[in-house]
Amino acid sequence: MTARTSPEASRDIPEATVARLPVYLRALTSLVEAGTRTCSSEELAGAAGVNSAKLRKDLSYLGSYGTRGVGYDVDYLRYQIAREIGVEQDWPVVIVGIGNLGHALANFSGFRSRGFRVVALLDADPSRHDEVVAGIDVRPFADLEAIVREHGVAIGVIATPAVAAQDVADRMVGCGITSILNFAPTVLSVPTGVDVRKVDLSIELQILAYHEQRKAQGEATPATTGPGDPAHHELVREETA
Amino acid sequence: MTARTSPEASRDIPEATVARLPVYLRALTSLVEAGTRTCSSEELAGAAGVNSAKLRKDLSYLGSYGTRGVGYDVDYLRYQIAREIGVEQDWPVVIVGIGNLGHALANFSGFRSRGFRVVALLDADPSRHDEVVAGIDVRPFADLEAIVREHGVAIGVIATPAVAAQDVADRMVGCGITSILNFAPTVLSVPTGVDVRKVDLSIELQILAYHEQRKAQGEATPATTGPGDPAHHELVREETA
DNA sequence: GCCGGTTTGTTCTCCCGTTCACAAACTCCT
DNA sequence: AGGAGTTTGTGAACGGGAGAACAAACCGGC
Ligand SMILES: NC(=O)c1ccc[n+]([C@@H]2O[C@H](COP(=O)([O-])OP(=O)(O)OC[C@H]3O[C@@H](n4cnc5c(N)ncnc54)[C@H](O)[C@@H]3O)[C@@H](O)[C@H]2O)c1
Ligand SMILES: NC(=O)c1ccc[n+]([C@@H]2O[C@H](COP(=O)([O-])OP(=O)(O)OC[C@H]3O[C@@H](n4cnc5c(N)ncnc54)[C@H](O)[C@@H]3O)[C@@H](O)[C@H]2O)c1
């Protein structure tokens, strides 16, 4: 998709692997804190909740950082993964929408410890502008561009209501932000080159509900709720009309 | 995995499709509210941010609910998807860990409107037990079993610190909860038959950081930070020792 | 120096998911 | 009634990821 400029560029890592590297990183950090020096793919895979073959294949995309017959140097591997992900340096981040969720995010200590630094909290509501959350004062949304330029922000977090999310995203993109984490339940439309990831509580719960319904189906009373399809079809159309 | 008991059981839906159905459901709800009666796969796919062929194939797993040459009856399709997911009736949910995040979740209005009902907020900290959040009073974690039995809760949300998450999950499973949404950054181990989904802010940000680093790599100064591998290898080992 | 035991890195195969492309089916207009 | 135009549902090709299995590489003991 993007041009390969650097000749020494590391082979591109499959998306599925990229999504697991942070899990490995976390497991390795735990091991480091526990004083472990070395671990096998089997141990690490257990801690990360994945298959050991998958783990080894994932790590092989980064390079050959293990030692056959021994395993991996925990701290060395942790560093290599952190470097590959890009969280050795801190990424400045802005959070927009300091409501219920925005407060929780601002207070979330995991940001700093995992390679991110909240440089600003923004909200459109003037009544919030005198507030200080987690040591950072909430500023007007209009300050976005100045802040992004000042700190070189590339990553933005959206925690506004759904109706405002697209506007906020547009403004972010206009300022030069190229990665967005969206908590609002909306599909964002952004130009090519901008990455969007969404965190959607309702979707996660509904996926659980689907499987839950499936589990219940086997043991429930014979006539659960829904009869054949055609009758329901009519019923629903009546509701509409 | 589970036995097919019902003869009329609908064919099992691919996991990737299940994960998209809630997105379609949301898009359809928007269309209903906008007064739209009918829509084509192209329109709906646009609203959901997916390929129209994918949308059609996804919907085909549910049945043939469209009309060729016309499209889909918005309200009818919305009902069918909601029924398939299982969010026509409300699912009782408990939230454990009423800290920063737990407060936000408790105040989240999207629960009720999307098929879920928070029946209890639980926390181990006694100083929180006199608190009322979003009209629900925070109760001792020890009440979990009684509440689960009383309301027939099948879905639990974990918003405790990571160290407590596995204990909470074990207790939940012990009470009969079979679906867990985990916000704590830990790998949970649960018996077969229990579904766990995780929402992990740090992982999402780190995935964005990886791609962001990739984007920057092409245009950055020649010597970014890291030299060849061997030297760094030593450096890191020194840090450890 | 060599051998048994251990663990990685990689190859191979299979399966799931995505996308293309098109026949079948429906509506509307004449 | 018939034909032109539209849109669904699905068969088939394709690509990527998961897991099994194994050869290569390393350690430690003798
Ligand atoms: N609270 C949760 O646990 C939770 C969970 C999942 C998803 N969400 C989603 O996250 C979003 C925020 O939820 P919340 O509970 O914090 O809502 P909230 O109403 O408490 O907070 C929203 C904040 O965004 C601000 N805002 C509105 N428009 C803005 C704009 N154009 N620019 C900048 N700021 C703006 C508001 O002033 C407010 O402070 C919602 O989309 C919600 O659906 C929340
Ligand atoms: N705050 C965020 O935005 C955010 C974002 C992503 C992930 N998380 C994760 O979500 C979790 C909660 O975050 P937080 O900021 O709300 O933390 P917090 O410390 O504010 O709240 C944790 C709550 O859990 C309670 N608790 C602790 N042990 C318990 C137990 N055994 N049983 C029941 N309750 C118990 C505590 O009393 C406290 O009220 C953490 O694991 C955090 O890493 C938080």
Side-chain angles (χ1 to χ4, degrees):
Chain A
M1 196 161 281
T2 52
R4 188 84 44 85
T5 41
S6 154
E8 190 56 72
S10 48
R11 47 258 148 233
D12 55 329
I13 298 176
E15 197 51 38
T17 296
V18 171
R20 282 187 294 267
L21 289 180
V23 181
Y24 305 152
L25 181 60
R26 180 172 295 158
L28 287 165
T29 303
S30 293
L31 289 175
V32 167
E33 284 166 2
T36 312
R37 315 289 279 191
T38 297
C39 75
S40 69
S41 64
E42 204 77 41
E43 294 173 82
L44 185 53
V50 301
N51 187 297
S52 69
K54 201 192 301 192
L55 171 76
R56 288 199 299 277
K57 181 176 280 194
D58 284 342
L59 295 184
S60 76
Y61 290 113
L62 311 190
S64 286
Y65 295 136
T67 308
R68 298 176 191 220
V70 179
Y72 300 92
D73 180 309
V74 171
D75 199 65
Y76 178 50
L77 183 59
R78 189 202 58 77
Y79 170 76
Q80 288 296 345
I81 293 179
R83 191 181 53 80
E84 188 71 37
I85 296 177
V87 290
E88 273 300 296
Q89 75 270 26
D90 268 12
W91 292 91
V93 171
V94 295
I95 303 177
V96 178
I98 314 301
N100 287 311
L101 184 59
H103 273 81
L105 295 176
N107 281 308
F108 180 47
S109 58
F111 269 117
R112 250 170 268 270
S113 61
R114 299 192 200 287
F116 303 92
R117 182 168 37 93
V118 179
V119 297
L121 307 176
L122 304 178
D123 202 295
D125 184 351
S127 70
R128 297 210 185 262
H129 293 161
D130 44 7
E131 198 178 345
V132 176
V133 182
I136 308 170
D137 53 326
V138 180
R139 296 175 59 180
F141 181 54
D143 291 2
L144 176 67
E145 184 151 15
I147 290 164
V148 168
R149 288 192 194 285
E150 184 188 351
H151 295 90
V153 178
I155 302 176
V157 176
I158 299 180
T160 66
V163 286
Q166 182 64 57
D167 284 344
V168 172
D170 291 344
R171 289 285 301 271
M172 283 181 168
V173 171
C175 295
I177 283 179
T178 46
S179 289
I180 295 175
L181 183 56
N182 180 31
F183 284 87
T186 322
V187 176
L188 293 183
S189 139
V190 296
T192 317
V194 177
D195 286 329
V196 175
R197 295 192 66 86
K198 68 165 188 288
V199 173
D200 198 317
L201 174 60
S202 302
I203 289 181
E204 299 301 324
L205 282 175
Q206 291 183 347
I207 294 171
L208 287 175
Y210 169 80
H211 293 295
E212 201 58 48
Q213 181 178 240
R214 277 283 167 123
K215 292 176 200 166
Q217 212 158 357
E219 72 214 26
T221 55
T224 44
T225 322
D229 265 327
H232 253 288
H233 190 293
E234 286 313 304
L235 180 76
V236 175
R237 299 226 181 213
E238 274 172 352
E239 275 177 14
T240 314
Chain B
M1 195 162 282
T2 52
R4 188 82 46 84
T5 42
S6 153
E8 190 55 72
S10 48
R11 48 253 148 236
D12 56 328
I13 297 175
E15 196 52 37
T17 297
V18 171
R20 282 187 295 266
L21 289 181
V23 181
Y24 304 153
L25 181 59
R26 180 171 295 158
L28 287 165
T29 303
S30 293
L31 289 175
V32 168
E33 285 167 2
T36 312
R37 315 289 279 189
T38 296
C39 74
S40 68
S41 64
E42 205 77 41
E43 294 174 82
L44 185 53
V50 300
N51 188 297
S52 69
K54 200 192 302 193
L55 170 77
R56 286 199 300 276
K57 177 155 281 191
D58 283 342
L59 295 185
S60 76
Y61 291 114
L62 311 190
S64 287
Y65 295 136
T67 308
R68 299 176 191 220
V70 178
Y72 300 92
D73 180 308
V74 171
D75 199 64
Y76 177 51
L77 183 58
R78 189 203 57 77
Y79 169 76
Q80 289 296 344
I81 293 180
R83 191 182 52 81
E84 188 71 38
I85 296 176
V87 291
E88 273 299 296
Q89 77 269 24
D90 269 13
W91 292 91
V93 171
V94 295
I95 303 176
V96 177
I98 313 302
N100 287 311
L101 184 59
H103 274 82
L105 295 176
N107 281 310
F108 180 46
S109 58
F111 269 116
R112 253 170 266 272
S113 61
R114 299 192 201 288
F116 304 92
R117 183 168 36 94
V118 179
V119 297
L121 307 176
L122 304 178
D123 202 296
D125 185 350
S127 70
R128 296 207 186 264
H129 295 163
D130 44 6
E131 199 178 345
V132 177
V133 182
I136 308 170
D137 52 327
V138 180
R139 296 176 58 178
F141 182 53
D143 292 2
L144 177 66
E145 184 151 14
I147 291 164
V148 168
R149 288 191 195 285
E150 183 189 350
H151 294 91
V153 178
I155 302 176
V157 176
I158 299 180
T160 66
V163 286
Q166 183 64 59
D167 284 344
V168 172
D170 291 343
R171 289 286 300 272
M172 282 181 168
V173 171
C175 296
I177 283 180
T178 45
S179 289
I180 295 175
L181 182 57
N182 179 32
F183 284 87
T186 322
V187 176
L188 292 183
S189 138
V190 295
T192 316
V194 177
D195 286 329
V196 174
R197 295 191 67 86
K198 68 166 189 289
V199 173
D200 197 316
L201 175 60
S202 303
I203 288 181
E204 299 300 324
L205 282 175
Q206 290 183 347
I207 294 171
L208 287 175
Y210 170 80
H211 292 295
E212 201 57 48
Q213 182 178 237
R214 277 285 171 120
K215 292 176 200 166
Q217 213 158 356
E219 73 215 26
T221 56
T224 44
T225 323
D229 266 326
H232 254 288
H233 189 292
E234 287 311 304
L235 179 76
V236 175
R237 299 222 183 217
E238 274 171 353
E239 275 178 13
T240 312

